[in-house]
Amino acid sequence: MLELFDNKIFPCKYSDILYRVKSFNPNKYSTTRNYINGSVSYLSPYISRGVISTKLILSTLLNNNYNPLKIEKFIQELAWRDYWQQVWVWKGNDIDTDLKHTQFPITNNSIPRAIIDAETGISAIDKSILNLYETGYMHNHLRMYVASIVCNIAQSHWKVPAKWMYYYLLDADWASNCLSWQWVAGSNSNKKYFANQENINKYCFTNQKDTFLDVEYAEFQKFEIPEVLKQTNLLNLKTPLPSSDHIIIKNSLPTLLYNFYNIDPTW
């Protein structure tokens, strides 16, 4: 796992971002993406902020002569991002509620304190939460693990925890974030997502035993909330905004209309 992110990991110059798109090799994505050191693109912050588009990424890969069949999984992930956006467009504020099924069971509408404090006792999970606070990044597989623990083990409704993660993510995208949490919780899918300690050990290169997740999958059907997850907190998230000078628009200069997520700078 990357321990520290700086402008070398997430560069801010547009030319450097385009170089990252052009130099990304997606051939190993499908077989390694679930591992914390897998071959992932680290392009999501730029997609979610509208700096580059999924269309630009795909066209670049095809122009680099990658076989679409061999990089199908990566193409699917690009499509999922666009799909979640279109669901948001179609459903509007309905995505803020249980979309397909009512999440069940629910014992609270908050978030476990152990998650906020990164003290679940699952070393890979706690490390990823601290990394999120420090860098704004969390590997996608770890996001699923956290959501599963919160929604399906601690029985918290998905919305407050989804807000918590959205607040810290550098690539925060409410459509993808919200609807993915619902997918894990079963309110936007036909079954809940669970991961046990063996699964986490495999993909995070840990060797933990005797945690509350160190069980067979069948045991999740009758799972009691672990003591460490019972204490919950309400969120108090605030975004400090810098003071800004009065804006003067010079009509003689070209104007760029910025739209979250989906417009290229060269549109």
Side-chain angles (χ1 to χ4, degrees):
M1 180 181 295
L2 296 171
E3 296 295 339
L4 183 63
F5 292 81
D6 54 25
N7 60 6
K8 294 180 181 178
I9 303 299
F10 287 117
C12 297
K13 288 180 61 177
Y14 188 58
S15 58
D16 291 338
I17 296 167
L18 290 183
Y19 176 78
R20 170 163 293 186
V21 177
K22 294 176 182 177
S23 60
F24 172 59
N25 184 338
N27 281 329
K28 294 182 179 180
Y29 178 82
S30 63
T31 57
T32 68
R33 68 191 184 106
N34 285 338
Y35 292 91
I36 57 173
N37 65 344
S39 179
V40 297
S41 69
Y42 298 108
L43 292 173
S44 57
Y46 311 116
I47 298 172
S48 67
R49 293 296 169 271
V51 178
I52 56 176
S53 69
T54 53
K55 182 179 180 180
L56 180 147
I57 296 170
L58 176 60
S59 62
T60 301
L61 294 178
L62 296 181
N63 288 338
N64 286 342
N65 297 317
Y66 286 107
N67 185 332
L69 292 178
K70 292 185 178 180
I71 63 170
E72 181 179 11
K73 179 55 67 175
F74 184 75
I75 294 174
Q76 287 175 354
E77 293 305 313
L78 294 178
W80 273 115
R81 283 192 166 271
D82 283 351
Y83 174 72
W84 294 137
Q85 288 292 318
Q86 293 305 316
V87 172
W88 194 6
V89 170
W90 181 251
K91 297 292 185 179
N93 291 337
D94 284 349
I95 70 167
D96 294 342
T97 61
D98 293 357
L99 198 59
K100 294 181 179 179
H101 311 286
T102 300
Q103 182 184 338
F104 178 84
I106 296 172
T107 61
N108 65 87
N109 287 282
S110 50
I111 182 171
R113 182 173 180 176
I115 291 290
I116 293 177
D117 294 342
E119 294 180 349
T120 66
I122 312 294
S123 61
I125 300 299
D126 295 340
K127 187 175 181 180
S128 71
I129 293 171
L130 293 176
N131 202 54
L132 172 66
Y133 291 155
E134 181 181 356
T135 68
Y137 176 81
M138 182 181 283
H139 188 282
N140 186 64
H141 214 178
L142 269 300
R143 300 183 199 195
M144 294 170 61
Y145 291 154
V146 170
S148 180
I149 290 172
V150 172
C151 297
N152 303 331
I153 304 299
Q155 298 179 10
S156 300
H157 187 264
W158 63 266
K159 188 174 181 181
V160 168
K163 287 182 177 181
W164 162 78
M165 184 173 283
Y166 176 84
Y167 178 82
Y168 289 104
L169 284 172
L170 193 61
D171 63 2
D173 169 351
W174 184 241
S176 179
N177 194 60
C178 157
L179 293 169
S180 295
W181 272 80
Q182 290 207 52
W183 181 86
V184 170
S187 60
N188 188 34
S189 59
N190 292 324
K191 64 178 182 179
K192 297 173 180 286
Y193 171 80
F194 288 95
N196 64 8
Q197 187 65 56
E198 182 182 8
N199 185 298
I200 294 173
N201 285 344
K202 174 181 177 180
Y203 292 106
C204 299
F205 307 108
T206 54
N207 191 33
Q208 269 198 289
K209 302 290 184 182
D210 301 322
T211 69
F212 62 82
L213 289 180
D214 195 14
V215 298
E216 298 296 327
Y217 279 97
E219 295 185 44
F220 286 128
Q221 303 306 315
K222 55 182 189 305
F223 212 69
E224 297 290 334
I225 300 176
E227 198 65 35
V228 69
L229 299 179
K230 287 184 177 180
Q231 186 173 355
T232 61
N233 277 22
L234 295 176
L235 288 185
N236 184 27
L237 303 175
K238 295 182 180 180
T239 302
L241 298 176
S243 58
S244 59
D245 297 329
H246 179 66
I247 297 175
I248 299 176
I249 298 177
K250 295 184 178 181
N251 294 328
S252 61
L253 296 176
T255 301
L256 171 66
L257 299 178
Y258 176 80
N259 187 20
F260 179 83
Y261 182 81
N262 58 5
I263 290 187
D264 287 332
T266 55
W267 67 278

